[in-house]
Amino acid sequence: MAEGLLTSSFIMKSGVSIHNSFQSEPLLPDEPSGPVTFKLIFSSLVAVCGSYVYGHAVGYSSPAESGIMEDLGLTTAQVSFITHFIFFNSPQSLPEARPAMNWGGGEEVKRNVGGKVGRVEYAVFSSIIAIGGMLGAVISGRIADFFGRRWAMGISELICMAGWILIIFAKDATLLDLGRFILGCGIGLTSYCVPIYVAEITPKHVRGAFAALNPLLMGLGQSLAFLFGSLVNWQILAFIGIVPGLIQLPCLFFIPESPRWLANVGKMKEFEDSLRRLRGPDADIAPEAAEIKEYTEYLNQMSEGGFVNMFQRKYLYTLVVGVGLIIFQRLGGVYGFLFYASTIFEDAGFPSRIGTIAASIVQIITTVLGLLLIDRAGRRPMLLISTAGACLGSVITGLAFLVKDLGSEGELTAWLAFIGVLVYLGLLQLGLGGIPWIIMSEIFPINIKGPAGSLVVLFSWIGSWLVSYTFVYLFDWSQSGIFFIYGGICALGVLFIAKLVPETKGRALEEIQESMMNDSR
C-alpha cells in the first residue's frame, strides 16, 4: 500500500503518465529540460574518446594481420593450450580448405599445411578480445557503481592502454594474445560506462543526439583503423589506439561526475554542484534536481538494487527490452558482416578493397545521419527502419550467393553482394547499430543500472563471439543460407521492436523508467 501511495505521489509531481508505454507522454508540456552548455559538450566529447578506442580495437586486427604474422613469424612451437582448445579443427585453421582472407586490401598471407598454425594463432589474437570483453562486462556495472561513471571511464582507459602497450612490444604470440585480452577487458568496461554517463548528464531534448556520439565514434574508430592500417605498420597502428586515452585521462579531472550517480550514493551537495556545472550558472536546476532526488528516494525505498533484485517482476519489462535488443543486434549478423566483409566480397567476385572502403564510407554517412535524426524521428521508427533494412541487406546478399549456386556466377553475383553488404551495414548503422545502447542507458533505474547494464554488455560480447566464430562454419555449409538466417533473425527483430520497445524520445529518464515498471506489473 505504501509503495502504491509513493508511486502515485511521484507520478503526480513529475507528470508521468501511467498509460501504455508505447504512447505515454509527459502530462506537462514537453519543454527543453536544460540548455546545451560548453561543459555538457566538452564532457560528452571526453567520454566518447573511449568509444573511439573501442572502434579502433575492433577494427585493428584486420589491417594488422599480415604485418603481425610476418614480423613475429608465428610457428607451431608457439601454440598455446587456448589455441588448441578454441580453434582446433576450425575451418579458419585450414588454409587449404579456404583461401586466406585479404583484410584491408594488403598482401595476402598464404600459408601451406606446415604453416596453418600461424593462421590459428592469429585467429586467437583476433577473437580473444571478445573473451576479455565478457570479463569486462561482468565487472563493468560494479566498477561504475562503486567508483562512479567518470573514474570508471578512467579505469577502462588505463586497462586499454596497458593492452595496447603489450601489443606494441610483443615479440611472440603469448604477449600478443595477453595484450589483446586485456584490451578486451578495457573496452568491455567502456561499452557500459560511456553510454551510461552521456545519458545521465544530458537534458532529455538532446539526449538522443548526444548518446548517438557513442556509436558514431565507434564506427569512426573502426573505419580509421582500416585507413591508417593501410599506411602504417601494426605497431604504429597500436600506438594510435593509445592517443585517445592520452587525451581523455587528463580531461577527466575537468568534467563533472554524473549527477544521478551522486544522488544515488547520497552526495547531495556534489549532486547539485554537478548539475549546475552541466546546465550553466544561470539555469534554473530546481525542477530537474527535485525530480531526480525524489525518484532516487522512491527507488531506494521501494527496493534495493543488486543482481538478484533486478529479476523482480517490476523490472522484467526493462530487462526484456534491453537484453532483447542486443540479442537481435548481435545474432542478426553484425559481426559476420563487419569481420568477414572482405571474404564476402572475394567469394562473390567483387574487389574486396573497393568494397570495404565503400562500406566504411557508407557506415560513417548513415551514422552521422542517425545522429541528426534520432531526436526528431524518434528511437522506435529509426530502429524499425534500420532493422528492416538489415533484413533486406541480408536477403540481397543471400540472393547473390544463391545466384552463384545456381550456376550464374558473374557480375550479377558480385554486384548483388556489394549492394547487399552496403544496404546491411549502412542501414544497420542508422539505428540498430547504436540505438540499443542508447535505450539501454535510458530504461534501467539507477538502483539496478549496474547489474542490468552489465548483463546487457555480457550478452553483447557473447553474441559477438558466437557470430564471429560460427560465420566460417555456416558460410562453408551454405554461402546463401547463412545470410537468409541473419535475415530471418532481423525480421523477428522488427516484430520485437514493434510490439515491445517503447519510444523514449523527449522523455526524462525517471519518466521512462517509472512508466516501464508500471507496465511490468
Side-chain angles (χ1 to χ4, degrees), residues 454-512:
S454 295
L455 185 67
V456 170
V457 176
L458 177 62
F459 269 97
S460 77
W461 283 105
I462 291 173
S464 300
W465 180 82
L466 186 64
V467 170
S468 61
Y469 181 66
T470 59
F471 180 89
V472 177
Y473 289 102
L474 294 173
F475 197 60
D476 282 346
W477 163 69
S478 173
Q479 290 186 329
S480 59
I482 181 174
F483 298 108
F484 291 135
I485 291 173
Y486 292 155
I489 294 173
C490 290
L492 292 176
V494 172
L495 296 177
F496 176 85
I497 294 164
K499 294 292 184 181
L500 292 175
V501 177
E503 180 57 75
T504 61
K505 180 190 76 168
R507 302 167 67 190
L509 296 182
E510 291 72 26
E511 178 195 342
I512 297 166

Side-chain angles (χ1 to χ4, degrees), residues 67 130 173 297 375 377 379 408:
E297 291 170 2
D375 278 323
R379 278 58 151 170
S408 301

Side-chain angles (χ1 to χ4, degrees), residues 16-28:
V16 176
S17 169
I18 59 174
H19 298 144
N20 188 292
S21 66
F22 301 147
Q23 323 236 324
S24 64
E25 296 290 342
L27 298 180
L28 300 177

Side-chain angles (χ1 to χ4, degrees), residues 264-284:
N264 188 55
V265 297
K267 297 183 177 182
M268 292 304 172
K269 183 180 183 305
E270 293 90 338
F271 154 69
E272 293 187 0
D273 290 343
S274 174
L275 193 59
R276 188 168 299 282
R277 290 176 65 191
L278 289 164
R279 300 295 180 260
D282 300 325
D284 180 14

Side-chain angles (χ1 to χ4, degrees), residues 18 41 112 125 152 160 186 192 235 252 320 327 333 350 393 425 443 453 471-472:
I18 59 174
I41 296 171
N112 56 22
F125 172 74
C160 289
Y192 169 78
Q235 290 163 315
L252 289 174
V320 169
I327 288 176
F350 193 90
L425 291 176
I443 64 175
F471 180 89
V472 177

Side-chain angles (χ1 to χ4, degrees), residues 19-345:
H19 298 144
N20 188 292
S21 66
F22 301 147
Q23 323 236 324
S24 64
E25 296 290 342
L27 298 180
L28 300 177
D30 188 15
E31 298 176 350
S33 59
V36 178
T37 62
F38 171 79
K39 181 64 72 173
L40 176 65
I41 296 171
F42 178 71
S43 300
S44 300
L45 292 177
V46 169
V48 297
C49 284
S51 304
Y52 182 91
V53 174
Y54 180 108
H56 192 85
V58 171
Y60 174 81
S61 63
S62 295
E65 179 179 6
S66 59
I68 288 177
M69 292 183 69
E70 290 173 357
D71 290 352
L72 298 189
L74 303 182
T75 63
T76 304
Q78 295 171 322
V79 181
S80 62
F81 170 76
I82 192 171
T83 303
H84 285 294
F85 180 75
I86 297 178
F87 291 99
F88 189 74
N89 288 331
S90 165
Q92 288 174 291
S93 69
L94 300 174
E96 72 272 23
R98 302 187 43 77
M101 284 177 281
N102 181 11
W103 297 92
E107 182 182 354
E108 269 189 342
V109 181
K110 297 182 178 179
R111 297 184 181 263
N112 56 22
V113 176
K116 70 175 67 174
V117 175
R119 173 64 59 191
V120 181
E121 286 179 314
Y122 196 80
V124 173
F125 172 74
S126 298
S127 63
I128 202 171
I129 193 172
I131 309 299
M134 293 177 200
L135 177 60
V138 170
I139 63 175
S140 60
R142 186 170 295 274
I143 289 177
D145 283 348
F146 185 80
F147 293 101
R149 292 16 173 169
R150 181 172 56 148
W151 298 123
M153 290 189 289
I155 292 170
S156 69
E157 202 60 72
L158 288 172
I159 295 172
C160 289
M161 291 172 71
W164 285 123
I165 290 170
L166 284 176
I167 292 172
I168 291 170
F169 293 102
K171 301 299 181 185
D172 55 34
T174 302
L175 277 183
L176 202 64
D177 291 346
L178 180 60
R180 187 76 166 167
F181 174 78
I182 292 174
L183 183 58
C185 294
I187 64 173
L189 176 54
T190 296
S191 59
Y192 169 78
C193 59
V194 170
I196 292 295
Y197 176 79
V198 174
E200 289 182 351
I201 68 172
T202 47
K204 63 184 180 182
H205 65 294
V206 293
R207 190 176 60 243
F210 275 77
L213 290 171
N214 177 50
L216 174 64
L217 268 291
M218 286 182 179
L220 190 63
Q222 290 180 30
S223 300
L224 291 184
F226 172 78
L227 175 63
F228 293 148
S230 65
L231 302 174
V232 300
N233 67 32
W234 59 275
Q235 290 163 315
I236 296 177
L237 188 62
F239 178 77
I240 293 173
I242 297 178
V243 173
L246 298 175
I247 297 172
Q248 185 187 54
L249 285 175
C251 290
L252 289 174
F253 290 94
F254 300 98
I255 67 173
E257 180 54 86
S258 160
R260 286 178 168 85
W261 178 81
L262 290 168
N264 188 55
V265 297
K267 297 183 177 182
M268 292 304 172
K269 183 180 183 305
E270 293 90 338
F271 154 69
E272 293 187 0
D273 290 343
S274 174
L275 193 59
R276 188 168 299 282
R277 290 176 65 191
L278 289 164
R279 300 295 180 260
D282 300 325
D284 180 14
I285 65 168
E288 186 178 5
E291 183 176 335
I292 293 172
K293 285 192 286 188
E294 184 171 0
Y295 185 65
T296 302
E297 291 170 2
Y298 157 61
L299 288 175
N300 290 335
Q301 292 179 38
M302 187 176 66
S303 67
E304 296 181 357
F307 184 81
V308 175
N309 288 317
M310 75 174 175
F311 292 103
Q312 296 177 57
R313 181 178 176 181
K314 57 177 167 283
Y315 302 130
L316 181 61
Y317 181 28
T318 59
L319 285 176
V320 169
V321 171
V323 173
L325 279 175
I326 288 297
I327 288 176
F328 281 110
Q329 180 202 64
R330 294 312 199 211
L331 298 188
V334 55
Y335 275 94
F337 277 90
L338 282 176
F339 284 4
Y340 296 95
S342 60
T343 299
I344 297 170
F345 289 135

Side-chain angles (χ1 to χ4, degrees), residues 337 344 390-406 413 416-417 420-421 475 478-487:
F337 277 90
I344 297 170
C391 175
L392 177 62
S394 296
V395 170
I396 292 173
T397 309
L399 288 174
F401 287 101
L402 183 61
V403 168
K404 176 182 175 182
D405 292 340
L406 294 175
T413 296
L416 279 175
V421 172
F475 197 60
S478 173
Q479 290 186 329
S480 59
I482 181 174
F483 298 108
F484 291 135
I485 291 173
Y486 292 155

